[in-house]
C-alpha cells in the first residue's frame, strides 16, 4: 500500500490538512475555555458574588437546552452524535459543521455536563473533507475515510496535548480490525498489566536490577498489594455506576426524539436542577457539578482535603444525574465527566487502609473512563498521561480491563434512536393549497 502513488499523495495531503485543522481546533478550545471562565467566574464576581450563586445554572441551561434543541431539530447533522452512544469518528459531513459548532459553543460553556472531544472529532473530520474539496483532491471511499480520520486525530490531539492519544483513540473509535481487535487486544493488555505487576514487585522485593529506561526522574511511592486488592472491588463498582448512567442517558435519548425542542430543553433544566441542588446542599459553587469537570479535576487532585466527605458524595450523585440527562439530551463528549467522577470517587476512597490518593484516583479514573468509552487501550493511555508517572500503569491496566469486562456483561439498555435528516428546506404548503 505504501508503494502506491495515490496512497503517498493522500498521506502528504493528510499532513498538510493537519495544520489548519489543529489551528482551528486550538482556537475552538480557547473560545470554550474563555467563555466558560467568563460565564462561571468573571460574571458572578462582576455582579458582586464571591462565586456563582446557587440558581446560576437554571437560566443558563435553559438557554443551552433551547439552542441545542433547535439545532437538533432544524440543522443538518443534528449537532453531532448523541453522546450516550459513545465516541464516533464518522458520519459528520461538511454541511453538519455549523450545527456542531453552535451546539458546542453555546451548550458547553453554559454548563452542559459534557466535554469538547466529540465536537472536536466531528469538526476535525468535517474540516479535513472541506479542505480536501477546496484543493480539489481526488475523492475515493478509502481516501475520504483516511482524510476524515486524520482530521479527527489532529483535532483531538490538540485537546489531549499528545499525538499518541489521538492516534490510539481514533484507532479504537474507528474500529480498525473490527471485534477481533478487542478479542486479541484485551487478553494481551491484561497479561501485560499482570506481568508488569509481577516484574515490578520482584524488582522492589529483591533489590536486583535488570536494566531500565528510567532516566532519573523522581518516582512516587511504589505500589503494594493493598493497592491491587482495593482495585478489585473499586473498579467494578465504578464501572457499574458509569454503565447505568449511560443506560439512563439512552432512555433520555429516546425521550427527546419526540417534540425535540421542548424535551431537549426539559433535559437541560433537569440537569440544571441537579446542579442547583448540589450548590444548595453543599454551599459550594454550582460550577463544580456543571460543565465537563476538566478544570475542577485538577483542583481536586491538588487540594483533595478542601473537599469534605459530604461534598464528594454530593458531587458524585448530582453530577452523575446531570451527566445522564446531558448524555441523552444534549451534545458534547463523554470523556471528561467520566474522568472527573472517577477522580472524585478515588479521592473519597483514598483514606481506605493501605490505599493512597494516587492509586485510588488512578483506579477510579481508569475504571470510569473505560466504562464510558468501551475503549480500554485509549483509556489506559489517557489516564497514564494524566497521572504523569509509570508506577501506576499496571494498576490502571487492571482497572481498565476489569471495567471493560464488567460493562460488557451488564444489560446494555435501549439502543440509540436513529434520527432522519431534516429536509433541506422546511417550507409550508403553497398558499393555494391552504384551506381558506
Amino acid at each position: 500500500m505504501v508503494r502506491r502513488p495515490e496512497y503517498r499523495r493522500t498521506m502528504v495531503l493528510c499532513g498538510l490538512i493537519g495544520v489548519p485543522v489543529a489551528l482551528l481546533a486550538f482556537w475552538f478550545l480557547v473560545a470554550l475555555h474563555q467563555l466558560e471562565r467568563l460565564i462561571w467566574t468573571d460574571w458572578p464576581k462582576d455582579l458582586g458574588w464571591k462565586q456563582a450563586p446557587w440558581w446560576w445554572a437554571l437560566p443558563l441551561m435553559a438557554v443551552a437546552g433551547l439552542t441545542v434543541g433547535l439545532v437538533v431539530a432544524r440543522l443538518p447533522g443534528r449537532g453531532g452524535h448523541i453522546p450516550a452512544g459513545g465516541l464516533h469518528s464518522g458520519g459528520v459531513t461538511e454541511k453538519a459543521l455549523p450545527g456542531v459548532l453552535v451546539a458546542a459553543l453555546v451548550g458547553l460553556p453554559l454548563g452542559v455536563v459534557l466535554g469538547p472531544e466529540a465536537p472536536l472529532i466531528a469538526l476535525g473530520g468535517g474540516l479535513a473533507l472541506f479542505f480536501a474539496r477546496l484543493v480539489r483532491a481526488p475523492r475515493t471511499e478509502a481516501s475520504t475515510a483516511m482524510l476524515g480520520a486524520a482530521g479527527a486525530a489532529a483535532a483531538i490531539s490538540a485537546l489531549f496535548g499528545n499525538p499518541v492519544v489521538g492516534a490510539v483513540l481514533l484507532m479504537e473509535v474507528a474500529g480498525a480490525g473490527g471485534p477481533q481487535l478487542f478479542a486479541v487486544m484485551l487478553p494481551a493488555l491484561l497479561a501485560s498489566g499482570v506481568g508488569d505487576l509481577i516484574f515490578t514487585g520482584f524488582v522492589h522485593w529483591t533489590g536486583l536490577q535488570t536494566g531500565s529506561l528510567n532516566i532519573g526522574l523522581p518516582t512516587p511511592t511504589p505500589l503494594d498489594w493493598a493497592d491491587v486488592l482495593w482495585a478489585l472491588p473499586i473498579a467494578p463498582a465504578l464501572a457499574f455506576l458509569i454503565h447505568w448512567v449511560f443506560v439512563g442517558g439512552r432512555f433520555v435519548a429516546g425521550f427527546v426524539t419526540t417534540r425535540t425542542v421542548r424535551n431537549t430543553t426539559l433535559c437541560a433544566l433537569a440537569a440544571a436542577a441537579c446542579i442547583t441542588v448540589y450548590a444548595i446542599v453543599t454551599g459550594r459553587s454550582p460550577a463544580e457539578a456543571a460543565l465537563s469537570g476538566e478544570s475542577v479535576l485538577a483542583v481536586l487532585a491538588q487540594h483533595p482535603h478542601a473537599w469534605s466527605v459530604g461534598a464528594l458524595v454530593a458531587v458524585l450523585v448530582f453530577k452523575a444525574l446531570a451527566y445522564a440527562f446531558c448524555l441523552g439530551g444534549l451534545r458534547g463528549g463523554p470523556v471528561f465527566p467520566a474522568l472527573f467522577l472517577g477522580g472524585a470517587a478515588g479521592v473519597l476512597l483514598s483514606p481506605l487502609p493501605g490505599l493512597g490518593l494516587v492509586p485510588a484516583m488512578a483506579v477510579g479514573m481508569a475504571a470510569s473512563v473505560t466504562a464510558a468509552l468501551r475503549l480500554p487501550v485509549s483509556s489506559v493511555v489517557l489516564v497514564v498521561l494524566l497521572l504523569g508517572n509509570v508506577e501506576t500503569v499496571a494498576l490502571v491496566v487492571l482497572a481498565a480491563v476489569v471495567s471493560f469486562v464488567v460493562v460488557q456483561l451488564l444489560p446494555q439498555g435501549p439502543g440509540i434512536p436513529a434520527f432522519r435528516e431534516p429536509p433541506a428546506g422546511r417550507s409550508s404548503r403553497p398558499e393555494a393549497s391552504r384551506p381558506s
Side-chain angles (χ1 to χ4, degrees):
M1 184 181 294
V2 177
R3 295 177 185 273
R4 296 177 183 174
E6 60 271 19
Y7 180 82
R8 294 199 296 268
R9 286 195 295 267
T10 304
M11 285 285 291
V12 172
L13 183 59
C14 287
L16 294 175
I17 283 175
V19 176
V21 168
L23 287 173
L24 289 171
F26 169 79
W27 289 112
F28 172 77
L29 290 171
V30 168
L32 286 179
H33 177 75
Q34 294 297 326
L35 286 171
E36 179 182 318
R37 182 173 180 177
L38 176 71
I39 293 169
W40 290 89
T41 303
D42 294 344
W43 283 358
K45 290 183 178 179
D46 292 342
L47 293 172
W49 289 295
K50 183 180 178 182
Q51 61 185 23
W54 61 267
W55 50 266
W56 194 252
L58 293 170
L60 296 178
M61 290 290 283
V63 174
L66 179 61
T67 304
V68 174
L70 289 171
V71 168
V72 172
R74 306 288 181 182
L75 294 183
R78 299 191 179 275
H81 297 290
I82 298 173
L87 288 177
H88 298 272
S89 62
V92 176
T93 64
E94 299 141 82
K95 293 181 179 179
L97 291 181
V100 172
L101 271 173
V102 172
L105 288 174
V106 174
L108 297 181
L110 291 180
V112 171
V113 187
L114 294 168
E117 59 279 358
L120 270 177
I121 289 175
L123 287 171
L127 286 171
L129 298 178
F130 172 74
F131 288 128
R133 184 168 61 83
L134 282 183
V135 299
R136 298 181 180 179
R139 296 281 289 270
T140 64
E141 184 177 350
S143 66
T144 298
M146 187 182 297
L147 286 168
I156 204 70
S157 297
L159 172 63
F160 294 121
N162 191 292
V164 175
V165 179
V168 173
L169 185 65
L170 264 295
M171 180 187 71
E172 284 193 287
V173 169
Q180 290 183 351
L181 177 68
F182 287 103
V184 174
M185 188 168 52
L186 200 65
L189 187 64
L190 178 60
S192 64
V194 173
D196 185 61
L197 274 174
I198 300 301
F199 185 86
T200 304
F202 269 95
V203 169
H204 289 311
W205 294 332
T206 64
L208 301 175
Q209 297 297 322
T210 60
S212 164
L213 297 178
N214 184 7
I215 60 175
L217 294 174
T219 57
T221 304
L223 297 176
D224 55 32
W225 283 111
D227 299 321
V228 178
L229 293 176
W230 279 119
L232 296 177
I234 290 173
L238 287 175
F240 186 86
L241 168 66
I242 298 298
H243 172 77
W244 288 108
V245 168
F246 270 75
V247 170
R250 295 189 188 103
F251 279 107
V252 172
F255 172 69
V256 300
T257 55
T258 58
R259 298 192 176 184
T260 301
V261 177
R262 185 201 69 178
N263 291 350
T264 301
T265 306
L266 289 176
C267 289
L269 288 173
C274 297
I275 296 166
T276 301
V277 173
Y278 167 78
I280 294 173
V281 168
T282 63
R284 300 174 68 93
S285 172
E288 294 172 351
L291 305 167
S292 68
E294 179 183 359
S295 58
V296 183
L297 179 61
V299 176
L300 180 67
Q302 294 167 17
H303 307 286
H305 299 296
W307 295 65
S308 67
V309 172
L312 289 169
V313 172
V315 79
L316 283 170
V317 172
F318 293 111
K319 196 176 186 77
L321 290 172
Y323 187 29
F325 285 115
C326 294
L327 280 170
L330 295 151
R331 293 296 182 269
V335 174
F336 284 105
L339 283 171
F340 176 82
L341 291 173
V347 173
L348 178 65
L349 299 174
S350 60
L352 290 172
L355 187 63
L357 177 66
V358 174
M361 291 191 70
V363 171
M365 290 191 294
S368 296
V369 76
T370 303
L373 298 182
R374 315 292 178 92
L375 305 174
V377 176
S378 299
S379 301
V380 167
V381 173
L382 178 57
V383 173
V384 168
L385 288 174
L386 283 174
L387 293 171
N389 67 74
V390 298
E391 287 290 319
T392 53
V393 171
L395 210 56
V396 169
V397 169
L398 179 62
V401 172
V402 170
S403 175
F404 184 81
V405 172
V406 167
V407 296
Q408 294 298 327
L409 297 176
L410 290 171
Q412 299 304 301
I416 300 297
F419 284 106
R420 291 179 300 176
E421 282 295 320
R426 287 178 177 259
S427 57
S428 56
R429 291 181 295 172
E431 293 290 333
S433 66
R434 290 183 180 176
S436 56

